[in-house]
Amino acid sequence: MKKRSLSAPSPAPSPSPTVEQSGSSMDQRRARRILAEASERARRRASLDFRKLLFPQQMKLLDDPSKTKVALCSRRAGKSFALSVLALDTAFSFEGSMIPVISITRQQAKRIVWPVFQELDRTNELGLRFNASELSCTLPNGSQIFLTGASTEEEIQRLRGPKYPLVVVDEAQAFKSYLAELVSDVLEPAVLDYDGSIVLAGTPNAICRGFFYDASQPESAWSVHHWTLLDNPHIPKAEQWLKDRCRRYGWTESNPTYLREYKGQWIRDSSSLIYPTIPVIEELPDDDWEYVLGLDLGYIDSTAFVICAYSTATGRLVVVESFKKTKLLPADVAQIVSDLNSQFRFESIVADAGGLGKAYAAEMSERWGLRIKNAEKREKRAYIELLSGDMTTGVASIVEAYNGPLLDELHALQWDDHRLAPHERCEDHLADAYLYAWRWCHQYWRDEILPERPRRGSPEYWKQQEDALEEEQERLLEKELDRTWWDDLEVSDGSGW
């Protein structure tokens, strides 16, 4: 063995790594690990076959090459899951594309569909970036899926302009008469560039009419897919659950609610409609009308305005005009109400002033001088029945030309399974505003009960107004004269004179 000479210089020891070098090495290892994980996720995404996530009935919808498709399903059938997978599969196929998933309201889309996309991303590591404020998710290839409502003209207009390879309309049975216009005027031109497709999905309702009903019929030009919760393998005890439910509610297999909700069949059933009879008229007749405004306040959900007129001379009530708008600030609502009040001189303005409505009512009262009455919400079920009775007997009617959205809501409103409240799938903002206004109308105070009143605008009417004003001034004067001199003294704070 060769010996090292003691006189020879020792080799210099290798320098210890500095903190900077050590940190740099760690950063490089972390970066390599992150890149490896990203590469693995990309590999899994590329090899992911979305069809493996679906059962056969759902898979047929995904593989159907038709440009217009209908998914007619029962409740708990896995409809929303199939629609979400279809949207993701299309978005991954068309890089940089946009795909809208449309529900009747934005809140409904957030409640039903949004969690499905989040769960699919978590379980399959899809790499989606979620924007909760916009209700959108962006894919790694730059495509974007966004959720939106389409219950107002503003929301529908926002769907115009972009091009889409796919459009999904969920809970299509809840859409009103404008669904036909939405499809033909907005959605069909929007999928033209991609030669894309439109999917309408929903559960049958009790009225058995409208665009979704027509599209889901066998003779229609749409490709119809049908399945129920009994086809859904992820609900293994569905058959026993259905039997227990039928036993609990006393349903037979021919019960309309059972057939609609759990068999996905169109069955007309006026008994489940909240307002089975809705009389309409062409215009407001000449009469001595008093006007009442009903408001259902919201921001994301629509703010609804319903103007009612009632007459004690004839004992009638007429809905003169109604409309709804989204994303109105308190000042916006106050401005609209003030403008309407200038036109109609409302006897009462009634609003749901609880919760969010407090800020709106305060704005109208404090800054605009509008006196807002709080809507009575107790015993709502009983008052809905009374309003329905007024419409059935013809006491209450609606001017058809100026109340299209309200009529759509009333025709579609169904009871829930317990017949205690409107079904959660039904939009009822205008219907609620109508109910609020109706409860403050006094058409049943007939003239044979009340003292005769002069016709509004007549000389007798203005004489009555002058007399009332004079009486009020006299009352205030008498109150002032009755004050004693010590009423004006300031209360002592106990410190002496």
Side-chain angles (χ1 to χ4, degrees), residues 1-5:
M1 176 170 40
K2 183 178 179 181
K3 295 183 179 180
R4 180 171 60 84
S5 170

Side-chain angles (χ1 to χ4, degrees), residues 75-78 228-239 241:
R75 300 176 70 179
R76 308 304 304 158
T228 74
L229 79 167
L230 295 176
D231 299 309
N232 188 348
H234 304 293
I235 308 181
K237 297 182 179 180
E239 188 171 0
W241 182 86

Side-chain angles (χ1 to χ4, degrees), residues 20 168 470:
E20 291 79 3
V168 174
E470 288 180 3

Side-chain angles (χ1 to χ4, degrees), residues 75 108 171 173 257 260-262 272 274 412-418 420-428:
R75 300 176 70 179
Q108 188 178 65
E171 300 296 343
Q173 81 285 347
T257 301
R260 278 195 317 274
E261 300 290 336
Y262 301 105
S272 65
I274 293 180
L413 271 180
Q414 296 175 234
W415 292 113
D416 62 13
D417 290 346
H418 307 285
L420 296 176
H423 201 288
E424 63 179 3
R425 293 200 308 263
C426 299
E427 187 177 2
D428 59 355

Side-chain angles (χ1 to χ4, degrees), residues 28-197:
Q28 290 175 1
R29 288 197 299 272
R30 186 181 298 112
R32 284 195 295 269
R33 185 173 67 252
I34 292 172
L35 288 173
E37 291 174 355
S39 177
E40 176 62 18
R41 283 197 299 270
R43 185 192 67 77
R44 284 200 295 267
R45 282 197 300 271
S47 61
L48 175 63
D49 183 0
F50 281 106
R51 290 159 184 77
K52 294 179 180 179
L53 303 175
L54 306 175
F55 53 83
Q57 289 80 2
Q58 295 173 322
M59 201 180 306
K60 288 180 181 178
L61 176 68
L62 190 71
D63 291 335
D64 187 351
S66 302
K67 301 304 178 185
T68 52
K69 294 176 276 192
V70 167
L72 183 66
C73 304
S74 74
R75 300 176 70 179
R76 308 304 304 158
K79 168 177 60 67
S80 297
F81 185 87
L83 298 177
S84 301
V85 170
L86 175 60
L88 284 168
D89 185 59
T90 306
F92 273 114
S93 300
F94 293 90
E95 182 176 339
S97 62
M98 296 177 65
I99 296 176
V101 177
I102 307 168
S103 293
I104 186 66
T105 66
R106 193 173 184 272
Q107 287 297 99
Q108 188 178 65
K110 182 178 182 180
R111 180 171 56 85
I112 297 176
V113 186
W114 186 248
V116 180
F117 283 109
Q118 292 178 314
E119 179 65 14
L120 282 167
D121 177 62
R122 186 185 66 81
T123 55
N124 297 281
E125 297 183 333
L126 300 177
L128 307 182
R129 299 196 311 275
F130 291 93
N131 186 321
S133 63
E134 295 182 359
L135 287 187
S136 66
C137 59
T138 303
L139 282 63
N141 67 353
S143 293
Q144 185 183 79
I145 300 171
F146 66 95
L147 279 55
T148 182
S151 61
T152 66
E153 183 65 25
E154 298 96 314
E155 290 175 324
I156 292 174
Q157 289 302 321
R158 283 197 288 269
L159 291 166
R160 294 181 182 270
K163 54 185 179 181
Y164 313 119
L166 169 71
V167 177
V168 174
V169 180
D170 194 17
E171 300 296 343
Q173 81 285 347
F175 282 74
K176 312 307 183 294
S177 57
Y178 59 82
L179 179 59
E181 182 181 350
L182 173 65
V183 171
S184 63
D185 294 357
V186 180
L187 303 185
E188 287 182 348
V191 299
L192 184 61
D193 293 64
Y194 283 100
D195 192 25
S197 58

Side-chain angles (χ1 to χ4, degrees), residues 477-484 487:
L477 181 59
E478 289 174 0
K479 183 177 179 180
E480 183 68 23
L481 292 175
D482 286 341
R483 290 170 59 88
T484 55
D487 287 332

